[in-house]
Amino acid sequence: MTTHRIPDLWEAEPGYLNTASYGLPPRPAWVALQAALEDWRAGRTAWEDWAAAGERARHSFARLVGAQTADVAVGSQVSALVGVVAAALPDGARVVVPEIEFASNLFPYLVHADRGVEVVTVPTGRLLDAIDERTTAVAYSAVQSATGEVTDMAAVAAAAAAYGAVTVVDATQAVGWLPVAAVHADVLVCAAYKWLMSPRGSAFLVIDPELAERVRPLAAGWYAGEDVHASYYGPPLRLAKDARRFDVSPGWFDWVGTAATLAVVESIGVPAAHAHDVALANRFRAGLGLPPGDSAIVSVDWPAAAQRLAAAGIRAATRAGSLRASFHLYTTESDVDAAVAALTG
Ligand SMILES: Cc1ncc(COP(=O)(O)O)c(C=O)c1O
């Protein structure tokens, strides 16, 4: 186990196995958020201080996924960011998507059916086989929300590139525990409120700069301006030249929490998180008699799982009819053992 490398920064009550639904804030993020709320209540500071947190978070996220900061936009929800990209698909585009894909990286394509955009859904394990000369885009999650399946981003990128297709990767269930390299995606989107343990309402878009030339910044407002503070009023259109033209104005308090959490994630390091989380997931799997896996999310059909865990005060989820348990930095061996005991006892 690698538990000793993880600092004691969380106040999780025992039995929280549901980071795939929402992550819990480390103390520095909680403290920063309370301070910002106090400042708000008293009118003690200028909003620019809160917005600056979004810039710190943008830099952190770029480092976490190995991207250029200039290629990172900040937004609020995955679906809204994907929607801007989906609108750039040509009429008649064919998009290949895993059949169990979370809707935020699926519905944005389906809404273009009237202009001939076709969505082909396939089992996650058959994604590579489904990519061919007819494919315009491959949209998938680096880690599946319902099942925890990990997709080989490099392999999908190579298959898509062989046919000139673009990849749109939802990394929401991955960044924070799984090493993710943005270079394997033409577009990478990530909501920060799960494995990046941030308040709900902060998300990132990383976009290849050449592809970005073909994407209309449909959500552009003042915050997408080249000089934000000279973009409040009136024409002409004067958008940022880099990915900031896809920014939406920051939900201040979300970003205060997000910046502080990402600093913690960077200091711990994703490899340590990966080792810790997967070890606990595999301890859980072993307790249920399952072979080891490669994911921080465990999905298993287990009789009366929801009732048994609820009776023991353990918080997990049911997705696609199966128990979904997820393990992150604040999860302990005793959390895992209590869950195993509740299920097998
Ligand atoms: C893979 C994945 N992407 C995105 C989201 C959230 O999407 P949005 O930010 O559009 O609400 C979830 C939430 O469960 C998810 O599991």
Side-chain angles (χ1 to χ4, degrees):
M1 279 296 295
T2 53
T3 315
H4 62 278
R5 283 197 276 157
I6 309 301
D8 180 19
L9 291 175
W10 284 268
E11 315 281 342
E13 288 184 8
Y16 188 73
L17 300 184
N18 206 7
T19 300
S21 291
Y22 69 91
L24 311 185
R27 199 169 302 115
W30 178 259
V31 168
L33 186 52
Q34 303 318 304
L37 291 173
E38 287 293 344
D39 287 345
W40 176 42
R41 180 155 69 173
R44 208 178 279 140
T45 187
W47 62 264
E48 284 88 342
D49 291 346
W50 301 323
E55 297 311 310
R56 291 198 299 281
R58 189 198 312 268
H59 284 277
S60 271
F61 189 80
R63 287 189 294 267
L64 281 169
V65 298
Q68 299 294 320
T69 304
D71 298 336
V72 180
V74 295
S76 53
Q77 273 83 27
V78 167
S79 61
L81 292 168
V82 174
V84 170
V85 174
L89 289 171
D91 293 355
R94 183 177 163 102
V95 188
V96 177
V97 188
E99 61 195 4
I100 200 157
E101 185 70 14
F102 190 78
S104 292
N105 196 20
L106 171 65
F107 286 5
Y109 313 105
L110 291 174
V111 299
H112 291 281
D114 64 314
R115 60 182 189 86
V117 172
E118 182 193 5
V119 175
V120 181
T121 57
V122 297
T124 310
R126 299 197 49 82
L127 194 61
L128 285 177
D129 303 332
I131 301 167
D132 61 21
E133 64 286 346
R134 298 168 297 169
T135 308
T136 316
V138 186
Y140 70 98
S141 289
V143 175
Q144 281 298 333
S145 166
T147 62
E149 287 165 285
V150 177
T151 294
D152 181 345
M153 287 177 57
V156 178
Y163 293 108
V166 298
T167 54
V168 185
V169 180
D170 180 348
T172 300
Q173 295 286 6
V175 181
W177 75 268
L178 183 72
V180 169
V183 68
H184 298 313
D186 296 297
V187 175
L188 184 133
V189 286
C190 181
Y193 71 99
K194 296 176 187 286
W195 302 89
L196 292 174
M197 303 167 288
S198 298
R200 181 66 150 122
S202 52
F204 300 93
L205 165 82
V206 186
I207 185 162
D208 172 80
E210 274 181 35
L211 175 64
E213 296 298 325
R214 312 202 301 268
V215 177
R216 194 185 294 261
L218 288 171
W222 65 281
Y223 205 73
E226 176 65 30
D227 176 350
V228 166
H229 302 294
S231 303
Y232 298 163
Y233 307 111
L237 184 64
R238 45 199 187 279
L239 295 184
K241 292 180 186 55
D242 63 12
R244 286 198 307 102
R245 68 186 183 276
F246 299 105
D247 279 7
V248 292
S249 45
W252 295 319
F253 306 113
D254 298 328
W255 287 101
V256 166
T258 301
T261 304
L262 293 197
V264 168
V265 172
E266 284 196 87
S267 74
I268 292 171
V270 173
H274 178 263
H276 174 90
D277 294 8
V278 175
L280 289 174
N282 283 338
R283 185 182 180 93
F284 181 68
R285 294 180 67 92
L288 301 184
L290 301 170
D294 61 355
S295 184
I297 300 175
V298 177
S299 166
V300 58
D301 286 324
W302 197 268
Q307 296 86 328
R308 284 165 180 253
L309 291 178
I314 292 163
R315 287 88 71 209
T318 304
R319 289 289 180 279
S322 298
L323 165 65
R324 182 186 70 182
S326 40
F327 307 85
H328 204 19
L329 296 166
Y330 32 76
T331 316
T332 63
E333 291 184 348
S334 51
D335 288 330
V336 173
D337 296 346
V340 169
L343 291 169
T344 59

